[in-house]
């Protein structure tokens, strides 16, 4: 059940988890682990939903168990509260009958005999079928009445109830009837009290109920012969010691189950944390790798951008240099070759008698200068400005025009 509960919690099936917890609580109560049962039942309430009708049957069962445990611990006020809640959620007639009987029993334990009697009487009136449930209610009713009224004679009611229990083969009902009759005769007739105590003890042995055996032995010690009291007392302590061992083993077993369950959950949580930590480390490593790749790509992109920019700058500088050189060359061609040709043309045009050697010399000079321009050599002209100007002016000198240079 505990393993089923853990699985249901992991799968988030709250109803299945609640059912496991309710059944675990009932097992613990039957093993006399009242505090453990109380804790488990309270845990079950966290998974049960009062507005969901599918949960109502288990709510009724769980509140009934809380009532039984509280009654065992003599916490009668809470037991009454839990039984009333159980009745609200129950839709089964037999279960409601049993819950009301438990409620009346708790009032009886509080010595509120009138409150208990009124509930028993109402149940007897509503249930005319003389079955084992009717027999138990009849016995409880008779017990409540003689407890509140010393003149009340309950024997015929007990006899009727015991007869029904025999017919129904209800050994637990017979066990309870013998206990009630023993209590009734305890102060009235010790022989009768001992007789019914002995019947209770024998029936409890058949039912293997150590608690009822101990209760019967306590009564037999009180009303039995002093010679047998020692043997009853020794038997009582023997059962008591055995019961303590059994209950301790049961409690320890339940505690061990809960411990192992919690330990397993803790280990699972630790594994989850470790897995998350590993995933986090892997993610961090991935982030570092991605960041490194991005940084490399960014650096390469920056280098490529700067390289491209520098290349463009160099190209522009080269283009500008070419343009500049073209301009310089054009200027040199214009200044040197064009002016020289113009001067030769002017001289040929204005002079009838051309000095062939002078023209050839000037053309050869222009050839040399133009060749120097193509090799991008600096043209060295050692003539002064006034000499060059004088030669240019003289090119216009002819037979009709004489030019005098001062």
């Amino acid at each position: 059940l505990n393993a089923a509960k853990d699985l249901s919690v992991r799968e988030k099936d709250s109803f299945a988890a609640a059912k496991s917890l309710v059944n675990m609580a009932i097992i613990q109560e039957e093993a006399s682990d009242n505090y453990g049962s109380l804790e488990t039942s309270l845990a079950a309430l966290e998974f049960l939903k009062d507005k969901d009708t599918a949960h109502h049957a288990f709510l009724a069962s769980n509140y009934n168990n809380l009532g039984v445990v509280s009654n065992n611990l003599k916490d009668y006020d809470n037991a009454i509260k839990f039984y009333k809640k159980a009745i609200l959620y129950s839709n089964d007639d037999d279960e409601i009958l049993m819950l009301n009987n438990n409620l009346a029993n708790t009032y009886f334990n509080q010595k509120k005999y009138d409150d208990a009697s009124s509930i028993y009487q109402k149940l007897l009136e509503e249930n005319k079928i003389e079955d084992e449930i009717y027999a138990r209610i009849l016995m409880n009713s008779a017990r409540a009445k003689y407890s509140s009224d010393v003149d009340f004679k309950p024997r015929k009611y007990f006899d009727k109830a015991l007869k029904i229990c025999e017919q129904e083969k209800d050994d637990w009902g017979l066990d309870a009837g013998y206990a009630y009759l023993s209590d009734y005769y305890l102060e009235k007739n010790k022989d009768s009290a001992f007789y019914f105590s002995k019947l209770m003890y024998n029936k409890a042995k058949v039912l293997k109920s150590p608690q009822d055996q101990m209760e019967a032995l306590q009564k037999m010690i009180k009303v039995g012969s002093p010679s047998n009291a020692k043997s009853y007392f020794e038997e009582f302590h023997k059962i008591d010691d055995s019961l303590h061992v059994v209950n301790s083993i049961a409690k320890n077993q339940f505690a061990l189950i809960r411990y192992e369950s919690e330990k397993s959950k803790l280990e699972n949580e630790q594994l989850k944390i470790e897995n998350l930590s590993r995933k986090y480390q892997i993610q961090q490593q991935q982030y570092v790798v991605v960041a490194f790749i991005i940084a490399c790509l960014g650096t390469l992109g920056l280098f490529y951008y700067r390289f491209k920019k520098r290349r463009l700058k160099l190209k522009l500088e080269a283009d500008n240099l070419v343009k500049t050189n073209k301009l310089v060359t054009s200027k040199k061609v214009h200044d040197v070759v064009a002016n020289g040709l113009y001067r030769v043309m002017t001289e040929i045009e204005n002079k009838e008698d051309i000095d062939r050697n002078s023209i050839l010399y000037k053309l050869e000079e222009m050839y040399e200068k133009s060749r120097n321009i193509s090799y991008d050599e600096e043209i060295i002209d050692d003539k002064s400005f006034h000499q060059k100007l004088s030669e240019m002016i003289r090119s216009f000198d002819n037979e009709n025009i004489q030019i005098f240079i001062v």
Side-chain angles (χ1 to χ4, degrees), residues 384-397:
S384 63
F385 174 73
H386 71 276
Q387 288 176 322
K388 290 189 282 185
L389 185 60
S390 296
E391 289 178 357
M392 289 175 65
I393 293 172
R394 284 198 185 96
S395 64
F396 291 94
D397 190 11

Side-chain angles (χ1 to χ4, degrees), residues 288-350:
V288 170
V289 171
V290 170
F292 177 74
I293 292 171
I294 291 172
C296 289
L297 291 173
T299 304
L300 289 173
L302 181 63
F303 281 141
Y304 176 74
Y305 171 75
R306 293 185 67 179
F307 171 76
K308 191 173 181 181
K309 187 176 181 182
R310 180 172 176 77
R311 187 177 174 187
L312 182 62
K313 181 181 179 182
L314 291 173
K315 185 176 182 300
L316 289 173
E317 288 177 353
D319 291 343
N320 290 334
L321 183 60
V322 170
K323 288 179 182 178
T324 303
N325 289 336
K326 283 182 179 180
L327 289 172
V328 171
T329 303
S330 298
K331 186 175 183 301
K332 287 181 179 180
V333 170
H334 179 268
D335 291 346
V336 177
V337 180
N339 287 341
L341 286 173
Y342 180 75
R343 193 167 63 249
V344 172
M345 288 168 59
T346 302
E347 188 174 346
I348 293 171
E349 183 182 359
N350 292 308

Side-chain angles (χ1 to χ4, degrees), residues 10-153:
R10 286 198 297 274
E11 294 181 352
K12 297 181 179 179
D13 187 347
S14 60
F15 188 36
K19 288 192 284 186
S20 294
L21 286 166
V22 170
N23 285 313
M24 287 165 64
I26 293 169
I27 291 170
Q28 287 174 287
E29 188 278 325
E30 289 175 351
S32 300
D33 183 11
N34 290 305
Y35 289 108
S37 178
L38 183 66
E39 181 183 354
T40 305
S41 275
L42 291 174
L45 289 177
E46 296 178 9
F47 295 95
L48 291 166
K49 300 174 184 176
D50 55 355
K51 293 182 180 179
D52 191 339
T53 54
H55 292 209
H56 283 185
F58 278 88
L59 276 165
S61 181
N62 196 48
Y63 277 122
N64 177 58
N65 186 69
L66 283 167
V68 172
V69 169
S70 299
N71 191 48
N72 293 341
L73 295 171
K74 302 188 186 304
D75 182 7
Y76 301 126
D77 289 336
N78 275 323
I80 290 168
K81 181 179 71 173
F82 289 134
Y83 284 135
K84 286 181 177 179
K85 281 192 174 183
I87 292 167
L88 289 175
Y89 289 109
S90 180
N91 295 317
D92 184 82
D93 292 339
D94 289 339
E95 186 179 50
I96 292 171
L97 186 65
M98 178 268 294
L99 290 169
N100 276 295
N101 184 63
N102 290 346
L103 177 62
N105 290 342
T106 308
Y107 280 126
F108 179 87
N109 292 335
Q110 282 187 314
K111 297 184 179 180
K112 295 180 179 179
Y113 303 124
D114 291 338
D115 292 335
S117 292
S118 63
I119 295 174
Y120 292 135
Q121 191 60 39
K122 182 180 178 183
L123 294 176
L124 290 171
E125 290 172 359
E126 291 175 353
N127 299 275
K128 301 296 185 182
I129 300 174
E130 295 184 351
D131 55 8
E132 58 186 60
I133 297 174
Y134 178 88
R136 293 197 186 191
I137 296 170
L138 183 60
M139 285 190 290
N140 289 333
S141 177
R143 182 178 63 152
K145 286 181 179 179
Y146 81 68
S147 296
S148 62
D149 183 3
V150 292
D151 296 327
F152 179 74
K153 305 297 182 184

Side-chain angles (χ1 to χ4, degrees), residues 180-199:
Y180 295 163
L181 281 166
S182 177
D183 289 337
Y184 173 71
Y185 284 114
L186 204 61
E187 302 298 333
K188 294 180 173 62
N189 188 323
K190 289 188 177 182
D191 289 339
S192 296
F194 181 82
Y195 172 76
F196 287 112
S197 296
K198 188 70 174 178
L199 288 176

